[in-house]
Amino acid sequence: MRSKQLLRGVRRGLRCRPEMSNVLPSRPRQVSQRRTFAIVASEYNSEFVHGLSDHAQKELREISPNFQVLHFTVPGAFEIPLLVQELASKKDIDAIIALGVIIEGETQHAALIGAAVTNSLQQIALSFRVPVIHEVLLVKNAEQARKRCLEDALNRGTEAARVAAQTLKALSDVRANLR
């Protein structure tokens, strides 16, 4: 199915790149107002998830020195949306970062978990109108996880923090302009 979609894109003149992005979003300007971020992290594949969380928190300190971060853990990726939903229902959380690593196996289990988590997180963000940054990674192997979670160059935890700050700013701008 995926190869057919890629082939259609090539036929239409679109440049389809199945490999990972090679660029992190740029760091937004420092935010002076106090922000409260929540990180919900899976304990499964903990070495990789800890790398994501450490990088996200380090980047948040750079972007928003007045931030408060609440950190919660759940057993696995499938449990992340329930906790994210509970946090989103509270009005004192500015943005939620969901972190997890799912490594593909020989069955479709990883893909099913990945799809369920993705769909749930999007619905929560839309329902509660709070930024939910999805960095629950579905990777083929430990090497892909290492590159995205433990190394500095393309760390998805860093990316999650930057996206959270940029999304909060965009949302604040829209809300300020619609008053």
Side-chain angles (χ1 to χ4, degrees):
M1 175 84 168
R2 181 164 166 74
S3 60
K4 286 182 182 179
Q5 290 171 331
L6 289 173
L7 186 57
R8 275 190 234 121
V10 170
R11 285 185 189 143
R12 292 184 186 140
L14 302 174
R15 297 177 60 79
C16 297
R17 296 174 46 132
E19 69 272 2
M20 74 176 189
S21 170
N22 293 324
V23 181
L24 286 175
S26 60
R27 178 181 285 162
R29 286 186 288 165
Q30 250 188 10
V31 178
S32 59
Q33 68 232 74
R34 184 153 178 78
R35 296 288 192 180
T36 300
F37 296 92
I39 293 176
V40 178
S42 168
E43 291 177 343
Y44 204 77
N45 293 312
S46 62
E47 174 189 4
F48 299 123
V49 178
H50 285 225
L52 290 171
S53 181
D54 291 346
H55 278 81
Q57 290 182 65
K58 179 182 174 193
E59 190 66 17
L60 287 172
R61 279 191 292 277
E62 292 291 325
I63 296 167
S64 184
N66 295 321
F67 84 103
Q68 175 186 13
V69 65
L70 308 173
H71 196 278
F72 302 92
T73 58
V74 293
F78 194 72
E79 292 77 31
I80 289 172
L82 179 61
L83 205 60
V84 168
Q85 180 175 313
E86 185 64 24
L87 290 166
S89 72
K90 310 301 179 204
K91 301 300 180 200
D92 52 352
I93 305 290
D94 294 301
I96 303 167
I97 299 173
L99 302 175
V101 175
I102 304 168
I103 300 176
E104 288 183 3
E106 295 181 14
T107 67
Q108 291 297 309
H109 183 73
L112 292 171
I113 296 295
V117 170
T118 297
N119 292 333
S120 297
L121 293 177
Q122 182 66 59
Q123 285 305 311
I124 294 164
L126 295 172
S127 296
F128 290 96
R129 297 167 51 171
V130 63
V132 175
I133 311 308
H134 177 345
E135 286 298 341
V136 179
L137 307 178
L138 178 59
V139 297
K140 292 190 182 298
N141 52 48
E143 177 61 20
Q144 284 185 348
R146 185 187 59 73
K147 286 181 181 177
R148 291 161 177 79
C149 303
L150 302 178
E151 294 181 3
D152 292 337
L154 295 170
N155 192 284
R156 298 308 183 209
T158 301
E159 178 179 45
R162 291 178 182 182
V163 169
Q166 290 170 344
T167 304
L168 275 174
K169 179 169 181 351
L171 198 54
S172 293
D173 291 349
V174 166
R175 289 175 177 164
N177 288 321
L178 294 177
R179 288 185 184 163

